[in-house]
Amino acid sequence: MKLVIFACLVVVVAAAPQDKIVEIISDQRSDSGDGNFNYAFEADNGISVSASGTPGAAGQVNMEGVFRFPLDDGTIAEVRYIADENGFQPQSDLIPKDHPLPAHALQQIRFAEEQRAKGVE
């Protein structure tokens, strides 16, 4: 049993990140406790996050924010988002765009709509 515990500890230590420590260069937070909040932080490695929240009509907290992080090529990736009663809605050049539907798929959709209009279920 001691050998198993020792082996687990060795694995945990070996898996620990060996890179430099990332320092937080700014950290701002406010929370009124009623669903209104703001936070923003930035790290020395180029990562930054900010968000604000307000109470929503259905009891949820609506959020709006952005996060940025460096890519391997040195550019900065950015994701902006809204999270509200309509769900999580991210916007970014990183998110793949929908490709156009092929002609046969459009044909099937039109056929299904025609059938529904005729009352076919």
Side-chain angles (χ1 to χ4, degrees):
M1 182 66 171
K2 290 180 184 177
L3 181 61
V4 171
I5 292 172
F6 178 73
C8 290
L9 288 173
V10 169
V11 169
V12 168
V13 170
Q18 303 299 321
D19 296 334
K20 78 170 200 138
I21 295 173
V22 176
E23 293 184 31
I24 302 300
I25 54 178
S26 72
D27 186 357
Q28 302 168 352
R29 306 172 202 205
S30 67
D31 187 346
S32 63
D34 61 357
N36 289 297
F37 69 88
N38 289 297
Y39 66 82
F41 74 85
E42 185 175 356
D44 68 351
N45 63 357
I47 295 173
S48 65
V49 178
S50 64
S52 61
T54 57
Q60 82 283 0
V61 173
N62 294 337
M63 292 178 60
E64 192 170 326
V66 61
F67 54 93
R68 296 178 186 89
F69 54 93
L71 297 173
D72 291 338
D73 65 2
T75 61
I76 300 294
E78 179 177 282
V79 178
R80 294 186 170 279
Y81 66 90
I82 295 174
D84 58 14
E85 51 276 330
N86 298 316
F88 181 71
Q89 305 156 54
Q91 296 178 346
S92 174
D93 291 339
L94 298 173
I95 298 172
K97 307 291 185 249
D98 289 338
H99 55 81
L101 292 174
H104 71 276
L106 293 172
Q107 216 171 17
Q108 290 174 340
I109 292 168
R110 278 193 295 273
F111 178 73
E113 289 171 351
E114 290 169 6
Q115 294 297 308
R116 254 187 246 115
K118 293 177 183 176
V120 177
E121 291 184 25

